[in-house]
Amino acid sequence: METMSETDTPAFRYTAAMAQDIELRWQEIWAVDGTFHAPNPTGELADPAHPRAGAPKLFVMDMFPFPSGAGLHVGHPLGYIATDAYSRFQRMAGFNVLHPMAFDSFGLPTEQYAVQTGTHPKITTERNIIRYRQQLRRLGLGYDERRSFATTDPEYYRWTQWIFLKCFSSWYDPEQDRARPIDTLVEKLSAEPGWAEKSAGDRRRAIDAHRLAYISEAPVNWCPGLGTVLSNEEITSDGRSERGNFPVFKRNLKQWMMRITAYGDRLLADLEALDWPESVKTMQRTWIGRSTGAHVDFASPAGDIRVFTTRPDTLFGATYMVLAPEHALVDALVPDAWPVGVSERWTGGHATPAAAVAAYRKFAATKSDLERQTEGKDKTGVFTGAFGVNPVNGAEVPIFVADYVLAGYGTGAIMAVPAQDTRDWEFAEAFDLPIVRTVQAPEGFEGPFTGDGVAVNSATPEGFAGGPAISLDGLAVAEAKAKIITWLEETGRGVGATTFRLRDWLFSRQRYWGEPFPIVYDEDGFAHAVPDSMLPVVLPDIDDFSPKTYDSDDANSSPEPPLGRATDWITVEMDLGDGVRTYTRETNTMPNWAGSCWYEMRYLDPANAEAFVGADNEKYWMGPRADGDPGGADLYVGGVEHAVLHLLYARFWQKVVFDLGYVSAKEPFRRLFNQGYVDAYVFRDSREFPVEAAEVTERDGKYFFEGEEVKRSYGKMGKSLKNVVTPDAMCEEYGADTFRVYEMSMGPLDVNRPWETRAVVGAQRFLQRVWRLVIDEETGAVRVGDAPADEETRRLLHRTVDGVRGDTAELRFNTAIAKLIGLTNHVTGLAVPPREVVEPLVLMVSPFAPHLAEELWSRLGHDGGLSYVDFPVADPAMLVADTVTYPVQVNGKVRGRIEVAADLPEAEVQAAALAEIAGALDDRTPKKVIVVKGRMVSVVV
């Protein structure tokens, strides 16, 4: 900051105090005037008199925040300021810009705070949201506040519940490749032979097995220490809960699931039409993990065991099978005693197969999926005591359980071909199992061969009775695959198939602070939808918000959700079409992802009480622009950490409501931009503990905290590292506009950047120079002149306008600000700043420093604010230089320079160049004279 005492500071200098006065005043004006309201085409928010009514639309979104008690630090608003600057620019460029902000307010942190303090989560959430709104307003962020909501608002989660019921009441029709109402499935099943003879319960179970939202006895991640089931993403790499660091165990429990796998192919294919970072697309493709191959059925004492393989051509090399410890058939497979002569290596030293399997299950339950699939780890497992039958050769193959096979991936069972798979080879060697090569490896090759080659040892043996003879020997991989799949389908032992790494979405949580399920159960345990007229199912008030927790190592415990204690709420009488009956409510709640799966659509029509979004408003803001356009929000800005889960779930729900005809957009977000993060210095003492960064002092290039030298490094800004800087402090010390300009000028928006409080003063000095172009610091008078600008200044202005428009439209805010600084510095050197330059400069500054720009625009004599004033447009004629300087080379060396008119004909440029270097030619005649227009002249002698 300027080094002068308060008494020496000119009365009208742009200081932090003046900035605060200006900012608070303009924020109030914007709020009263509804400056950032965006008109809808129809409904309550339509406004034909709005200056952008009927204009081209632009829907700009941020990934909305979870309102934590800590509030914002300076890293959080980076994306918010960027979208605000972009929205302000595009509004001035003629667009009807919708830029809203809401709050993703269900979540575990609030619930845990409630458990610790007894404060109801609703109270904490509302208090935190008030704090966030204050901070966001203080930064001058121009949101349409009429469209703001929290996912915890009952009128919001009414529609979250409604969309869930649409999933519950729909199925995925593979023939039409889309979701359809469940009634169409009932009609289809009713036409099948034997349907009428089925019991009512069997018919219901057949229907439920096809629903998009369904209940499954599924292997889940059970955390006794937290008393809840966790998603894979909530577990650390060492198999513990991310929150609390408790052990996590695999358990089979009844849970609500979402059939996202039905959309696997479409989720992959539709990525191509999205304007998203390629890295995010790659992450989604990897997560979805599409594989083609075959389902193959191996006979066993417990019935057929279905496996999926991408290499059915290697079936003749399948010498054993492995099931996940949680596989549903394991218990039925296990015999009372070991077969005669079984190796102790296979039994694990246990007296019976049941004991061996039980002990191994307990061992495997402590491992995370990541641990279980880690390459290179020692292979563990145990023989079930049972054998399967290889369908292509009739060979009996032993069936093992092992942790490297996951119940939720594929079918939870594999055929093991050790000669062609590294993990299978390692397991076969550990348990002394046979290895048969079925793909020709290079001569002298040892170990598992995972490459391509012709099939060998792949023919049915003499006397094989399991089907017609078949030989794959000599065939390449593709031909062998096609031939064996045809054989499997003809013999009824398999079918060609596509599977996904993606698993159905676990949708239950044993928590209080989440959306209640709009589901009730009858006396037979069947789930029924709560009628739309009874939505929302409101979360009841209870005194104890915590789920029942257990000893962290009690793997055999079971969930008891908090809502299980709301006895008056659980039991309900209602008429669902067959008279008044007593039902029991679902006591699990939805995951915190639910509310964020569709919030972009509620922004469009937040006051609509009849639908989650009106058709006309959805089509206007999110509808496809042309054939092949997927639709969606025009810009969505947020962190790359949401590349998979939130974005994948939102895409899934969007496709469901698209299939059912409720929306025109088949994708939620047309364009995605991932902003970088703000890092900050972390200072650690001799114990490696972080110390308060704000209290560290620097002396002679070293850093000290309370007299002790500390080490400095970079880290993510956060409370745990004691390096938080709040935007409140920045607004207090410098003003919101200075903070905004600093954040936008720190570097490209999509890269991480270090925070350096001392560097903020550079942004402040820039804004002070802009202020001084308009206002005399001593008198407060406007000092711009009406005399025309000189030619050089005018051309620089138009080059700046052209550059700032292009940079801002492409989110290159740092380079746009650099151009504005360049123009400001030039005009500062003029005796009287010309109005024809200063006014466009003020307009160009406004997306980044809107309060300052509004104040200067007003003092320049304009009424009504500048939010809807046209953004400056460059005159193309002013972008063409009058003259150009050519370096003149002779045989590659510069021998002179000429300045000529930019439009001078090439022959005259050649003549001027030759005249310039005549002395260097020594009477030699040039062989060539090459003019590279606008750049150089090359003479060859």
Side-chain angles (χ1 to χ4, degrees), residues 53 129 156 273 433 440 459 475 528 638 672 714 874:
I129 288 174
Y156 178 83
L433 291 158
Q440 183 66 60
L475 296 180
H528 299 267
L672 173 71
Y714 266 123

Side-chain angles (χ1 to χ4, degrees), residues 594-613:
S596 64
C597 279
W598 71 280
Y599 75 113
E600 69 284 352
M601 293 181 277
R602 194 58 178 169
Y603 280 144
L604 313 182
D605 212 0
N608 193 329
E610 305 302 320
F612 72 102
V613 62

Side-chain angles (χ1 to χ4, degrees), residues 324-599:
E326 306 85 2
H327 194 287
L329 289 181
V330 170
D331 290 335
L333 282 170
V334 174
D336 294 333
W338 293 116
V340 176
V342 66
S343 166
E344 186 174 337
R345 189 183 303 182
W346 290 15
T347 69
H350 293 278
T352 66
V357 169
Y360 190 78
R361 277 176 161 169
K362 186 175 181 180
F363 162 79
T366 64
K367 306 291 183 183
S368 70
D369 287 358
L370 184 62
E371 283 181 293
R372 287 169 62 166
Q373 292 195 300
T374 299
E375 297 289 343
K377 76 178 187 70
D378 291 340
K379 293 297 178 287
T380 63
V382 69
F383 179 41
T384 62
F387 293 85
V389 178
N390 188 325
V392 296
N393 57 17
E396 283 200 332
V397 294
I399 304 172
F400 286 76
V401 291
D403 63 357
Y404 77 94
V405 177
L406 304 179
Y409 184 62
T411 66
I414 67 164
M415 63 175 213
V417 185
Q420 269 75 61
D421 183 273
T422 302
R423 289 186 305 174
D424 293 348
W425 177 285
E426 293 169 350
F427 191 93
E429 287 201 318
F431 289 88
D432 197 22
L433 291 158
I435 296 174
V436 177
R437 287 204 186 279
T438 55
V439 177
Q440 183 66 60
E443 187 174 349
F445 185 90
E446 295 187 6
F449 178 63
T450 58
D452 288 345
V454 298
V456 295
N457 302 322
S458 297
T460 50
E462 265 188 60
F464 175 67
I470 182 174
S471 174
L472 307 180
D473 289 343
L475 296 180
V477 171
E479 296 171 284
K481 279 186 179 181
K483 187 171 182 179
I484 194 63
I485 289 173
T486 299
W487 185 91
L488 289 167
E489 292 177 341
E490 289 175 349
T491 59
R493 300 310 298 165
V495 63
T498 298
T499 65
F500 298 92
R501 178 180 179 271
L502 176 70
R503 304 172 202 176
D504 281 344
W505 178 12
L506 174 64
F507 204 70
S508 295
R509 294 293 184 274
Q510 292 69 46
R511 287 289 173 188
Y512 170 72
W513 195 232
E515 297 92 342
F517 280 92
I519 292 290
V520 293
Y521 297 93
D522 62 25
E523 62 273 16
D524 296 319
F526 289 115
H528 299 267
V530 171
D532 290 357
S533 61
M534 296 184 182
L535 300 180
V537 176
V538 177
L539 197 62
D541 287 332
I542 60 176
D543 296 325
D544 185 357
F545 313 111
S546 59
K548 183 176 180 180
T549 57
Y550 303 85
D551 182 280
S552 61
D553 293 316
D554 186 0
N556 294 319
S557 53
S558 296
E560 291 187 20
L563 289 180
R565 295 190 285 273
T567 52
D568 293 341
W569 178 82
I570 291 173
T571 303
V572 59
E573 289 188 347
M574 58 178 63
D575 185 351
L576 298 181
D578 52 357
V580 176
R581 296 170 59 187
T582 301
Y583 295 92
T584 303
R585 294 191 189 275
E586 171 65 73
T587 56
N588 287 323
T589 53
M590 298 185 196
N592 61 304
W593 305 104
S596 64
C597 279
W598 71 280
Y599 75 113

